[in-house]
Amino acid sequence: MSNPTLSYFDAFGRAGAIRIALRNAGIDFTDERVDYAGLIAKRGETGSNADVPLGSLPVLKLADGSVHAQSGALARWAGAQGDKPLYPADITKRLRVDEVFETINDAMTAAPQNSDAEAKKAARIEYAKEGGKLRKFLGFVESLIVGPYVLGDELSIADLSLVGLVTGVQGGQFDYVTDEVFSATPKVLALVAAAREQPLVAAELASKK
């Protein structure tokens, strides 16, 4: 029986938390990294198929051949496994983790897209400005952080989702959004700095080709 295969771009993005959770649980998996052309090829003429059911990444193909989508679902599935899971068993802790994880996913999804560069720039500036959507999402998450992580000393997939967002902005993956957007959220930056010191997180960040 083959190992699971996780397919995503060569970035932390929405799959970094899943990769780390799988490794944390000791699950051997194939780490398939594709570019946008690779995604188009996977989609085929219809834009989606059994291998890419929603036409987007990440997707996880399990050893039984079943294919699963939605980054939050994949992170929770991987995070719940292992001796020191990154998705806690306590349901109230899970509520907080989900709250943060889904807020960060919403923040990423809300980033405006436009084929016209000037229109995209204007929309992204609006998105990231003081009082804009991104800062509202970040301010909410800031209010939930106990420190150093969302759950105090317990690292979780919620923290890893924040690593993905902050790393993406700092790495220039969010056009026209700079790290000045984090100026009012010092707990977010401190959390990400602490998480980056974790060996599995550091290894994932260093794995970009």
Side-chain angles (χ1 to χ4, degrees):
M1 187 175 288
S2 60
N3 293 333
T5 297
L6 178 64
S7 302
Y8 190 65
F9 306 111
D10 185 24
F12 195 108
R14 296 178 189 262
I18 306 165
R19 294 184 189 122
I20 291 167
L22 288 167
R23 294 186 180 110
N24 178 70
I27 298 173
D28 291 329
F29 70 101
T30 300
D31 183 8
E32 181 185 38
R33 303 196 182 202
V34 302
D35 56 16
Y36 188 68
L39 172 59
I40 296 301
K42 278 180 173 291
R43 286 174 175 170
E45 294 181 358
T46 61
S48 63
N49 51 48
D51 291 328
V52 195
L54 295 177
S56 60
L57 300 176
V59 293
L60 180 67
K61 185 174 185 178
L62 298 181
D64 65 4
S66 61
V67 177
H68 304 269
Q70 294 289 9
S71 59
L74 303 184
R76 286 187 283 272
W77 178 84
Q81 302 188 60
D83 295 333
K84 295 182 178 180
L86 296 175
Y87 189 53
D90 181 273
I91 60 172
T92 304
K93 287 183 177 181
R94 284 188 172 189
L95 180 61
R96 180 66 83 211
V97 167
D98 289 345
E99 195 172 10
V100 171
F101 193 102
E102 295 306 325
T103 298
I104 297 305
N105 257 0
D106 286 348
M108 291 181 174
T109 301
Q113 304 293 337
N114 198 304
S115 58
D116 180 270
E118 287 304 312
K120 181 179 181 180
K121 181 179 180 179
R124 287 286 178 96
I125 290 172
E126 183 74 14
Y127 160 75
K129 74 177 186 179
E130 187 172 350
K133 281 188 177 180
L134 180 54
R135 295 198 194 222
K136 288 180 180 177
F137 286 130
L138 289 169
F140 175 63
V141 170
E142 177 86 357
S143 73
L144 302 180
I145 296 172
V146 174
Y149 303 120
V150 169
L151 298 177
D153 292 331
E154 186 178 348
L155 184 71
S156 72
I157 59 170
D159 308 301
L160 301 180
S161 69
L162 270 167
V163 173
L165 175 62
V166 174
T167 298
V169 170
Q170 292 178 336
Q173 294 168 13
F174 286 74
D175 296 342
Y176 313 113
V177 178
T178 71
D179 61 2
E180 195 275 331
V181 76
F182 304 116
S183 61
T185 52
K187 287 184 179 180
V188 166
L189 292 179
L191 180 155
V192 171
R196 285 171 173 166
E197 295 296 318
Q198 295 289 332
L200 285 176
V201 179
E204 170 60 26
L205 290 168
S207 71
K208 189 176 184 300
K209 298 172 184 176

